[in-house]
Amino acid sequence: MGGLGSISIPMCIPSQLLNPNRRNNFLGKLSHPCLLFHKSHSLSLSSHFSPQNNKVTETHFTLKASASSSSVGAADYTEEPATKVKFQTSLSLPGCSSSLSLLGTGYREKVFAIIGVKVYAAGLYVNQSILSKLDAWKGWLASQIQDDLSLFKSIFEVPLEKSLQIVLVRDVDGKTFWDALDEAISPRIKAPTPVDQSALSTFRSIFQGRPLNKGTFIFLTWPDPSKMLVAVSSDGMPASTDATIESANVASALFDVFFGDAPVSPSLKTSVANGLASILK
């Protein structure tokens, strides 16, 4: 292995994980190939092919020290398996001081007349410096992480950027989308203050009378626990934000909608927990 500061860790991977016919089952359990970063390191994958037996015989993970705080894996995109939506593994957003890295993906499903209909895919991005604040959870299993509300509260309370990207997989009118959000947020704010009510009114105005077509991006970004930036774009990545929601209660309630004890997208929280377990080994 060439280059200073490189560590080669040989690891044998069961053949069923490398069999393309088993891909969907594997991704169903881990809904992202999200060994995307480990603090200030990047992870790459290399394989050796044996022409004699026509199969991959050994795979090496190579952990390379990186001077960049936004290093990503070899892939530029991660696909959410249920919706086939592709998420960038790293991105820069308006209002963020540095690039954010993808931690996990999932989808939101609504039931109409007993039929589940997928409405959107979602991915959580974080400033990598947040991971250095999570040493208390090193070595935890994904199932333990998923059930520990204090971990997700810690992620939210770190005054560094987190962002949820929502990608619609069907046409939805803005009022319907807001009504669903409001239905989830309002019960989490027991006694809304005038500041909370004003923030909710601002939030509502972004979506009222606005068609949200399939493929629309919605970014909900928390630069710190006291506020949230909202950006909506029907044409790729947003160049600016649509509104700033300045209410700690509203910001906290919305994060809880996705990462509390009753998340609206269980697959997203499970995927994030898997990502954290991989990083915090």
Side-chain angles (χ1 to χ4, degrees):
M1 173 79 60
L4 294 176
S6 297
I7 306 168
S8 179
I9 307 171
M11 181 182 297
C12 292
I13 293 182
S15 60
Q16 61 265 35
L17 298 188
L18 297 169
N19 184 341
N21 295 326
R22 295 293 299 274
R23 179 175 181 271
N24 290 335
N25 288 340
F26 176 51
L27 289 178
K29 294 179 181 177
L30 178 61
S31 59
H32 56 83
C34 251
L35 289 175
L36 297 178
F37 52 80
H38 187 295
K39 293 187 178 177
S40 61
H41 298 83
S42 63
L43 192 65
S44 61
L45 178 68
S46 62
S47 303
H48 298 281
F49 181 76
S50 171
Q52 287 78 18
N53 53 19
N54 195 33
K55 66 179 181 180
V56 176
T57 57
E58 185 180 21
T59 300
H60 292 272
F61 285 103
T62 304
L63 190 64
K64 295 183 178 180
S66 170
S68 170
S69 63
S70 59
S71 57
V72 299
D76 293 326
Y77 293 88
T78 289
E79 183 179 273
E80 195 290 305
T83 59
K84 308 303 182 186
V85 171
K86 291 180 173 61
F87 290 86
Q88 291 181 220
T89 57
S90 179
L91 50 75
S92 297
L93 292 171
C96 292
S97 60
S98 64
S99 64
L100 307 182
S101 296
L102 182 65
L103 194 55
T105 65
Y107 64 92
R108 173 75 164 114
E109 187 173 69
K110 291 285 285 183
V111 177
F112 300 97
I114 75 170
I115 298 174
V117 177
K118 293 176 180 63
V119 181
Y120 58 76
L124 179 67
Y125 292 83
V126 299
N127 184 315
Q128 291 188 39
S129 296
I130 289 175
L131 300 176
S132 65
K133 312 297 184 182
L134 304 178
D135 286 349
W137 291 273
K138 277 190 174 181
W140 281 40
L141 299 174
S143 58
Q144 294 174 305
I145 289 174
Q146 184 170 350
D147 293 336
D148 192 334
L149 296 180
S150 65
L151 183 151
F152 289 94
K153 183 178 179 181
S154 294
I155 291 174
F156 175 74
E157 290 180 345
V158 174
L160 292 167
E161 300 93 343
K162 287 83 52 180
S163 185
L164 185 74
Q165 180 184 7
I166 292 172
V167 182
L168 294 176
V169 295
R170 61 179 53 251
D171 294 346
V172 180
D173 69 87
K175 181 180 183 303
T176 299
F177 185 84
W178 166 253
D179 287 346
L181 271 184
D182 187 42
E183 183 180 304
I185 295 171
S186 293
R188 289 171 163 85
I189 305 175
K190 302 302 181 185
T193 66
V195 170
D196 299 334
Q197 292 170 345
S198 175
L200 288 170
S201 177
T202 299
F203 204 177
R204 181 188 309 112
S205 68
I206 298 169
F207 299 103
Q208 294 290 347
R210 184 175 195 164
L212 301 174
N213 297 325
K214 179 179 179 180
T216 296
F217 290 177
I218 300 170
F219 284 93
L220 307 173
T221 303
W222 297 267
D224 61 61
S226 67
K227 66 181 178 181
M228 183 175 65
L229 310 178
V230 183
V232 182
S233 175
S234 59
D235 186 27
M237 297 298 295
S240 61
T241 58
D242 288 80
T244 299
I245 309 300
E246 299 197 59
S247 162
N249 287 335
V250 173
S252 174
L254 189 59
F255 194 83
D256 189 73
V257 165
F258 290 93
F259 302 105
D261 58 0
V264 296
S265 174
S267 60
L268 173 62
K269 188 176 179 184
T270 297
S271 177
V272 169
N274 283 332
L276 286 169
S278 299
I279 293 162
L280 298 173
K281 283 182 177 177

